[in-house]
Amino acid sequence: MPEIDYRLARTVAVISFANPPVNGLSQAVRAGISAALRRAQADPSAQAIVLTGAGGLFSAGADIREFGTPASMADPTLRDLIHLVETSAKPVIAAIAGTCLGGGLELALAAHYRVASADAKLGLPEVKLGLLPGAGGTQRLPRLVGVERAINMIVSGEPVPATDLASTALLDLLVDGDPLARAVELAASSAVATKPPPMTRDIPLDDPNLTTLCQAIRARLETQRPLLPAPMRAVDAIEAAGRPFDEGLSLERRAFLELMETPESKGLRHAFFAERATAKVDGITPSTPVRPLHQAAVIGAGTMGAGIAVALLDAGMPLWLVEADQDALDRGLTRIAGIFDGQVKKGKLTAGERDRRLALLRPTLSYEAAGHADVVIEAVFESLTVKREVFTALDRVMKPGAILATNTSTLDVNTIADFTRRPSDVLGLHFFSPANVMRLLEVVRGRATTPEVLATALALGKALRKVAVVSGVCDGFIGNRMLEAYTRQAWYLVEEGATPQQIDQAMEAFGMAMGPFRVGDLVGHDVSLAIRQRRRAERPGYLCSTLPDKLCQLGRLGQKTGAGWYDYPEGPRRPIASAVVEELITSHRAEIGVAPRRIEDSEITDRLVYALLNEGARILEDGIAARSSDIDVVYLAGYGFPRPRGGPMFYADQVGLDRVLRRVREFARNPHGDPAFWTPAPLLKRLAEAGERFDQTGDSPSTSTK
Ligand code: 3HC
Ligand code: NAI
């Protein structure tokens, strides 16, 4: 429950508000602060007022959970509260520690003076939620920090350290440690008492470059894909700060309310809560013990092992790197040094930081040496025989209580756990390539994995700054299992008449970071060929286009061979349509007896996205993912799904599951391809017929359209 504390410190009323964990400005908090401000006005002992947040932070802004509910508009609104602060007859001083974001900063901007601790961070991150600052931020910030800096802060949404703002009118005092005592001192001083409280709204904004700066940023935003409405509207609002204050404020308000209803904002707000919901895992409570992880080991220094090692070293974790032979170890070390050197070259890391990281690395050929590690991550060849060898050795050498993780992409984590006498300490940690860059980490919970081991793995994910999503054991886990359906469907589209370029362009216009054929060329076609060969051997009647097999037969394995679905004469970033592939496709169609037809882009995007979500529905029903929003996070953090669309499952909810089901049934009537492919997932069918949504957790009330 929020708490508002009112006390007198000599002649100063100190109003402190608490609403853990981030002092969100919910209706109850707003009402409490308003009442306390009125009390201070009426209190003859109070000459000035200090406003501060409890718990070491000011406020992370409006309570996002209220968005879309009556509480967000209920009196007093944030704008009412801010008006009360700015027009207070007694001076109001904001004491800012820790986080001061969004509506929290807007509240502070309306105070008459601001005192911040040196380690405070201030920002207006609303664009990240598809919004713009809606309580005067676009009007007051430029008046206090100048137009250029305000544009940068508002359009990027990135918080700024208080120390960077020390020379601006935003901060009257910067202090080390808790700012409250100095704020009270300032409030009681004659300097404050002797003049009428200065209002930010009265500061003239007469920057002659206002329009030019706004035009320049608009031109830059227009080149960005996807073109998002929020940053553009924010620039319009900042430009309106050159007009009379109330006009600018009304324009900002209108834009805020309109943006709140955009699909982009709903998607981004869903993504925000979905990422946080991943930490809520069945069987794990705040009292679940977490094992301390001081030292790690990585087995295998290939593509993945090297990337995982870099991720661990970036987090300051000392580690043993174990390889099968000296040559492979040397290659791994060169790979790791290469990654760090690249970062130094790009200015992302200093030479000193690189050297400190490399000093934490202990290369070895001995499993025994790694036995002291608290966690070991295996990244050797994708072969059950090799994994058996490695896990048998690990079981022998690792100290009791060590966590044993496999980075397998397709093998059964339960089988791997059973190679040891301690399956409860085994789980999957499925990183994505490049492992030090990609944010996603699938944490694969085995049959025997204990909550303690799982909680420790999630804590490791956090330490590595990954978005960790728990998955059950199945072939491909959440992400690759869905990707297989998506890619199979993309090949059928080519057989029917689309080109790889058309499909990639359609998916990129939808917002995917890369279309499926460019992704295939990047990952390498030998990986998916091995999977198809295994499927054909294991699943009688398995149907899949043979077109990608023919591509492999031509030696076109993707970027690593300089050619795949595309040619790459100018390097990996410039795929060029290939005459060889065009010919291959034409002869393949003739061979399977398909006369190509014209395929609309809308059919391409619907078929590919619905292939994803139909498999997602099965994953949800099988209990592989705990909630639909976890699947969304996997696709946002690991597969380049456009964040403003919220993820495939949220997208389906927005389209309406009844419409999705109708379209799936339409696709099922297409005689081409695998007749079983478009069988609607039973969960999709059930929810669509009941008029429900995938997202039933109530995690995202703020995006509810009801
Ligand atoms: N409202 C409601 N809940 C919030 C919140 C907010 N503004 N910000 C964070 N939370 C919740 C999270 O959902 C999470 O809840 P959970 O524990 O139930 O999952 C909890 O607070 C802790 O959040 P994090 O896990 O993100 O904690 P971190 O310490 O990693 O980060 C933070 C803290 C930097 C404050 C980060 O949460 C953040 O960036 N929050 C969003 C801030 C924001 O966007 N503010 C603008 C709001 S819009 C606005 O103010 C409109 C105004 O202009 C009118
Ligand atoms: P890789 O072939 O690049 O590297 C494997 C390394 O393991 C080699 O350096 C090899 O010498 C070493 N190795 C083999 N046997 C060993 C042993 N007994 N002891 C110590 N080292 C040994 O393979 P890659 O791509 O790094 O894949 C590793 C694992 O990660 C596989 O299980 C793969 O499925 C999985 N994975 C791969 C991804 C990718 O994009 N490459 C993505 C996610 C998971």
Side-chain angles (χ1 to χ4, degrees):
M1 267 307 281
E3 274 179 33
I4 312 297
D5 184 57
Y6 181 97
R7 69 182 170 88
L8 271 178
R10 289 176 283 153
T11 57
V12 178
V14 177
I15 301 171
S16 163
F17 54 98
N19 185 16
V22 295
N23 294 339
L25 297 168
S26 64
Q27 195 275 334
V29 173
R30 300 191 308 264
I33 300 175
S34 294
L37 283 168
R38 291 186 204 284
R39 180 173 163 189
Q41 303 298 333
D43 188 340
S45 315
Q47 287 175 9
I49 302 161
V50 167
L51 191 58
T52 189
L57 79 158
F58 193 74
S59 166
D63 188 331
I64 312 172
R65 285 183 192 276
E66 276 185 354
F67 287 177
T69 74
S72 72
M73 300 294 173
D75 290 342
T77 63
L78 188 53
R79 285 158 49 95
D80 296 338
L81 175 62
I82 283 172
H83 182 71
L84 202 61
V85 168
E86 190 161 52
T87 56
S88 163
K90 299 182 181 179
V92 179
I93 293 90
I96 304 167
T99 305
C100 182
L101 298 177
L105 179 57
E106 292 176 295
L107 181 62
L109 295 179
H112 307 114
Y113 302 93
R114 283 156 295 271
V115 179
S117 60
D119 58 3
K121 287 213 164 135
L122 295 83
L124 292 173
E126 285 85 346
V127 287
K128 294 187 179 180
L129 300 172
L131 301 169
L132 85 176
T138 60
Q139 307 303 299
R140 291 191 181 87
L141 191 66
R143 289 179 155 79
L144 290 171
V145 303
V147 173
E148 190 164 8
R149 195 191 288 259
I151 289 179
N152 287 341
M153 284 176 71
I154 294 170
V155 170
S156 75
E158 289 302 323
V160 172
T163 44
D164 285 7
L165 298 167
S167 60
T168 69
L170 201 162
L171 295 183
D172 297 281
L173 257 183
L174 190 70
V175 302
D176 285 326
D178 188 354
L180 185 57
R182 296 291 295 280
V184 171
E185 233 171 68
L186 179 68
S189 70
S190 57
V192 165
T194 52
K195 44 179 190 193
M199 291 200 280
T200 307
R201 57 179 292 148
D202 290 342
I203 301 173
L205 188 80
D206 44 18
D207 187 333
N209 294 324
L210 175 65
T211 307
T212 321
L213 288 166
C214 290
Q215 294 291 26
I217 188 80
R218 276 194 197 101
R220 184 160 72 70
L221 290 171
E222 263 158 17
T223 64
Q224 288 182 359
R225 290 290 169 275
L227 191 59
L228 295 174
M232 280 294 195
R233 300 296 296 268
V235 177
D236 294 347
I238 296 169
E239 193 167 27
R243 298 194 219 155
F245 186 82
D246 287 325
E247 255 183 52
L249 208 58
S250 311
L251 186 139
E252 177 200 83
R253 184 65 187 158
R254 266 199 314 280
F256 181 80
L257 293 175
E258 284 167 21
L259 286 170
M260 186 69 87
E261 295 306 317
T262 57
E264 289 88 352
S265 177
K266 288 178 181 169
L268 290 167
R269 274 143 52 201
H270 170 76
F272 176 85
F273 285 114
E275 281 181 1
R276 279 142 189 94
T278 57
K280 297 178 179 88
V281 176
D282 202 24
I284 295 184
T285 66
S287 59
T288 305
V290 173
R291 296 182 191 168
L293 300 180
H294 300 299
Q295 330 193 62
V298 174
I299 316 294
T303 310
M304 292 309 288
I308 295 167
V310 169
L312 289 161
L313 295 171
D314 280 341
M317 182 94 79
L319 67 92
W320 287 276
L321 183 66
V322 185
E323 254 295 351
D325 60 62
Q326 191 61 46
D327 281 354
L329 188 58
D330 291 343
R331 276 197 305 274
L333 291 175
T334 307
R335 201 173 271 139
I336 292 171
I339 295 174
F340 284 134
D341 286 344
Q343 292 175 353
V344 172
K345 225 177 254 160
K346 284 186 196 148
K348 290 184 179 167
L349 205 66
T350 65
E353 284 164 340
R354 172 198 58 200
D355 296 345
R356 274 193 292 284
R357 281 164 169 73
L358 286 172
L360 298 172
L361 187 60
R362 302 167 206 162
T364 178
L365 297 177
S366 149
Y367 276 69
E368 276 74 13
H372 301 289
D374 303 303
V375 55
V376 53
I377 304 171
E378 164 277 310
V380 302
F381 300 137
E382 186 74 339
S383 137
L384 209 51
T385 316
V386 184
K387 305 276 188 203
R388 178 197 287 270
E389 256 171 50
V390 171
F391 274 81
T392 309
L394 291 177
D395 191 27
R396 184 167 41 78
V397 302
M398 297 309 296
K399 69 177 187 188
I403 291 177
L404 278 47
T406 172
N407 183 48
T408 181
S409 324
T410 54
L411 301 173
D412 186 334
V413 173
N414 290 325
T415 307
I416 294 175
D418 287 340
F419 294 150
T420 74
R421 288 158 298 168
R422 39 174 137 175
S424 57
D425 286 338
V426 179
L427 83 176
L429 285 180
H430 187 220
F431 289 80
F432 289 75
S433 184
N436 58 312
V437 175
M438 295 294 290
R439 288 174 71 227
L440 179 63
L441 175 65
E442 281 180 320
V443 177
V444 186
R445 182 182 206 160
R447 196 191 305 119
T449 312
T450 60
E452 184 176 329
V453 169
L454 196 62
T456 308
L458 291 172
L460 176 66
K462 200 163 189 173
L464 301 183
R465 303 166 75 121
K466 302 285 180 201
V467 180
V469 180
V470 174
S471 167
V473 177
C474 70
D475 199 330
F477 313 123
I478 298 173
N480 284 345
R481 179 167 154 186
M482 287 165 69
L483 187 73
E484 193 175 334
Y486 171 85
T487 319
R488 278 176 71 204
Q489 195 53 222
W491 296 325
Y492 285 141
L493 278 163
V494 175
E495 288 185 341
E496 285 174 64
T499 62
Q501 301 82 273
Q502 185 197 358
I503 294 172
D504 282 351
Q505 276 159 16
M507 293 316 291
E508 286 162 22
F510 175 82
M512 296 298 288
M514 256 192 214
F517 293 91
R518 284 179 62 203
V519 169
D521 278 358
L522 183 69
V523 174
H525 301 297
D526 45 340
V527 179
S528 66
L529 176 65
I531 294 174
R532 285 192 301 281
Q533 284 167 341
R534 189 154 59 91
R535 298 267 181 272
R536 287 180 183 124
E538 286 172 3
R539 299 183 192 169
Y542 173 78
L543 282 180
C544 184
S545 168
T546 52
L547 179 61
D549 304 56
K550 293 176 182 165
L551 188 77
C552 292
Q553 281 157 19
L554 295 179
R556 300 180 68 103
L557 299 185
Q559 284 184 19
K560 61 182 160 192
T561 54
W565 294 110
Y566 295 93
D567 291 333
Y568 294 89
E570 293 168 42
R573 286 182 193 280
R574 293 197 165 272
I576 308 283
S578 156
V580 176
V581 171
E582 202 184 316
E583 229 178 274
L584 175 74
I585 293 170
T586 307
S587 70
H588 176 74
R589 285 179 189 144
E591 194 180 308
I592 60 172
V594 172
R597 64 180 171 90
R598 187 183 143 69
I599 297 184
E600 298 297 329
D601 287 357
S602 58
E603 181 179 343
I604 292 174
T605 50
D606 281 0
R607 276 173 62 176
L608 293 190
V609 178
Y610 292 5
L612 275 182
L613 65 92
N614 197 35
E615 194 59 32
R618 293 199 177 93
I619 284 174
L620 199 55
E621 187 149 47
D622 292 351
I624 298 297
R627 53 181 83 80
S628 65
S629 64
D630 281 3
I631 299 176
D632 288 331
V633 174
V634 166
Y635 263 75
L636 295 175
Y639 293 83
F641 199 90
R643 194 171 170 91
R645 295 197 191 264
M649 310 310 276
F650 181 77
Y651 176 75
D653 282 342
Q654 296 301 98
V655 171
L657 297 190
D658 52 343
R659 281 181 57 192
V660 171
L661 181 63
R662 268 202 307 277
R663 196 91 167 108
V664 164
R665 286 183 167 142
E666 244 173 76
F667 296 149
R669 287 196 289 273
N670 176 352
H672 185 78
D674 176 356
F677 190 98
W678 287 113
T679 308
L683 181 69
L684 168 63
K685 194 162 164 284
R686 220 173 39 247
L687 292 176
E689 284 166 0
E692 290 182 28
R693 302 154 49 95
F694 284 127
D695 190 1
Q696 301 195 328
T697 60
D699 281 336
S700 309
S702 66
T703 53
S704 163
T705 48
K706 292 189 182 128

